[in-house]
Amino acid sequence: MIKVKNITKTYGATVAVDDVSFEVGPGEILGFLGPNGAGKSTTLKIITSYVVADSGSVYVNDIEALDNPMEVRKAIGYLPESTPLYMDMQVIEYLEFVARVRQMSGAEAKSAIDRVVEMVGLRRMLRKNIGHLSKGYKQRVGIAQALLHDPGILIMDEPTSGLDPHQIIEIRELIRTLGKEKMIILSSHILQEISAIGTRIMIIKDGRIVADDTPQNMQRSLGDKTGFRARVQGPAEEVAAALKGLDGVNSVEITAGGGTDTEFRLLTSAGEDIGSRVFKAVAGKGWELSALSPDEHSLEDVYLELTKDGVSDSVSGNGVVEPASEAFESEAVAQGKAEAKEPESEAPAQEEAVESISEEPASEAPAQEDAGETGSEESEDDGPAQEGA
């Protein structure tokens, strides 16, 4: 169980995390979603004890993170946004090193390495230098180190970054499988990624949680608006004008086709049954209505609505989470609130001093900058990686 209570973190005048509270229980796969700079990475760093919050508290399995950071790190497998790898090591050497840092030895270490190698598909890369691997395989090595000590909690920041479509599907399936026995938090700014994996979605904007619900409930959260899709064979502009004039229709958008065979999206007030009106309007003009169906709001609609400029916060930081369906009832813009633009990809200058390597878990190994390689296969032509240790 993870309990986050009223955490706040600022960097100078920038508020990266603003009075955030939430809980995550066993068996949940929490998708942490938000625009770049919204506060996702900083929140995860606070949970994993890599950054200290200015105020608030974090409990991991009832252990207070600030007072017992090493115990918290033992309970968590962490994949940071920048994968923590030593580029001059072979994959097998790196995993053996991580096992030693995790105080494994002998048969226990060998068994753990074999387990994670099979999980993430690294068998044929074990004797390759990490610096010579593609971005996709480097990411697999990072996931392997996070799983090596078989933690009950797994936290991953952008876990499918740089993977090709086949690898993304494989990692999604791995996360779903792990979610049956582990508590998982993964962050992303890609909606499709979170919706494909998460059993629960939390959206953060400007350092504050603006929605926290299941994917299904979020899709129903635009409760005051209903959509329909109509395909009409007739002149597109004239059809659009006729549909806009119907009672109960708030707006009409052309979504596909054109010319004399066009699909329209009609936005109506909740509870309005406009089917008969659309049929009469189209038939009265001599056009043909070939399809009319309800159009459920997608998670993309919800996400865009919640993160657009001018939408006020709907979830308070005091641990009381409003249903996602109420997120759209508040339209007043919060006054006097500083913009929270978190530098997600850069570690802040004020981070904690690094502890000795004998005390730190493997996930704290200094992250090495990727050379920008993105293929799923190892690049055979690459020379030695020119990356700083």
Side-chain angles (χ1 to χ4, degrees):
M1 171 70 76
I2 292 177
K3 296 180 181 179
V4 177
K5 298 182 178 180
N6 307 102
I7 59 171
T8 296
K9 180 66 180 177
T10 61
Y11 297 114
T14 300
V15 182
V17 179
D18 188 3
D19 197 25
V20 164
S21 296
F22 61 90
E23 294 184 5
V24 189
E28 284 194 280
I29 302 177
L30 173 64
F32 205 28
L33 183 66
N36 288 325
K40 302 184 300 297
S41 291
T42 296
T43 301
L44 299 186
K45 289 175 184 176
I46 291 171
I47 294 172
T48 52
S49 297
Y50 284 83
V51 169
V52 177
D54 298 337
S55 61
S57 58
V58 175
Y59 292 85
V60 177
N61 295 336
D62 296 324
I63 300 171
E64 213 285 326
L66 183 61
D67 295 337
N68 302 281
M70 295 307 296
E71 291 302 313
V72 166
R73 293 171 188 177
K74 288 177 183 178
I76 293 175
Y78 179 39
L79 177 69
E81 185 177 13
S82 297
T83 312
L85 304 173
Y86 290 107
M87 298 299 163
D88 56 345
M89 282 186 171
Q90 292 181 358
V91 172
I92 185 63
E93 293 172 337
Y94 175 72
L95 293 178
E96 289 171 346
F97 165 71
V98 173
R100 290 195 300 274
V101 172
R102 290 286 184 187
Q103 300 181 339
M104 299 178 187
S105 61
E108 181 189 10
K110 184 179 185 304
S111 175
I113 291 171
D114 286 342
R115 173 175 51 81
V116 298
V117 164
E118 290 302 322
M119 270 186 176
V120 300
L122 282 173
R123 180 67 61 189
R124 69 189 187 93
M125 298 295 169
L126 286 178
R127 295 297 174 183
K128 303 293 185 182
N129 273 17
I130 293 174
H132 295 169
L133 299 181
S134 68
K135 176 68 181 292
Y137 274 107
K138 287 175 184 174
Q139 193 75 347
R140 291 188 189 205
V141 176
I143 294 173
Q145 67 79 25
L147 291 170
L148 193 63
H149 60 299
D150 197 19
I153 300 171
L154 191 59
I155 295 179
M156 296 183 284
D157 198 353
E158 306 279 356
T160 59
S161 174
L163 304 186
D164 68 32
H166 292 290
Q167 292 174 325
I168 288 174
I169 292 171
E170 290 172 3
I171 296 301
R172 284 178 183 172
E173 289 304 316
L174 173 61
I175 292 172
R176 286 194 190 100
T177 301
L178 292 170
K180 295 176 182 178
E181 56 187 41
K182 299 181 187 295
M183 179 193 311
I184 297 178
I185 301 177
L186 65 152
S187 78
S188 180
H189 62 279
I190 302 173
L191 178 64
Q192 293 87 346
E193 192 62 47
I194 295 296
S195 62
I197 302 173
T199 60
R200 172 181 159 201
I201 296 177
M202 185 181 297
I203 299 176
I204 187 170
K205 173 179 178 282
D206 294 339
R208 292 180 65 85
I209 297 170
V210 295
D212 181 2
D213 215 330
T214 64
Q216 295 79 13
N217 286 344
M218 281 197 178
Q219 284 184 270
R220 293 192 289 265
S221 62
L222 288 171
D224 59 335
K225 301 173 184 177
T226 304
F228 289 85
R229 288 188 184 269
R231 179 166 285 276
V232 180
Q233 295 182 21
E237 296 302 324
E238 292 182 34
V239 173
L243 295 176
K244 285 178 183 177
L246 296 177
D247 289 340
V249 175
N250 298 330
S251 64
V252 176
E253 173 190 2
I254 295 176
T255 58
T260 60
D261 187 9
T262 309
E263 184 181 84
F264 302 87
R265 186 182 184 191
L266 290 70
L267 193 63
T268 70
S269 301
E272 287 282 354
D273 185 1
I274 62 167
S276 60
R277 297 173 208 168
V278 171
F279 177 78
K280 289 178 182 178
V282 170
K285 295 286 188 177
W287 305 322
E288 181 180 338
L289 179 65
S290 54
L292 179 65
S293 60
D295 180 31
E296 281 193 356
H297 294 288
S298 66
L299 281 173
E300 182 177 5
D301 295 328
V302 178
Y303 176 76
L304 292 175
E305 183 74 16
L306 285 168
T307 57
K308 71 181 181 182
D309 291 338
V311 174
S312 63
D313 299 322
S314 64
V315 178
S316 65
N318 59 7
V320 179
V321 181
E322 297 177 18
S325 59
E326 298 176 15
F328 306 95
E329 295 179 6
S330 301
E331 295 295 333
V333 180
Q335 299 297 320
K337 179 176 175 183
E339 288 294 319
K341 302 298 182 185
E342 173 209 6
E344 296 242 7
S345 60
E346 297 180 3
Q350 295 85 0
E351 294 226 2
E352 300 178 273
V354 179
E355 300 180 28
S356 66
I357 191 65
S358 63
E359 295 179 284
E360 289 292 276
S363 55
E364 293 184 72
Q368 304 296 322
E369 288 295 321
D370 192 4
E373 219 174 344
T374 58
S376 64
E377 296 296 326
E378 177 195 13
S379 177
E380 301 292 342
D381 304 89
D382 286 348
Q386 304 298 318
E387 304 186 57

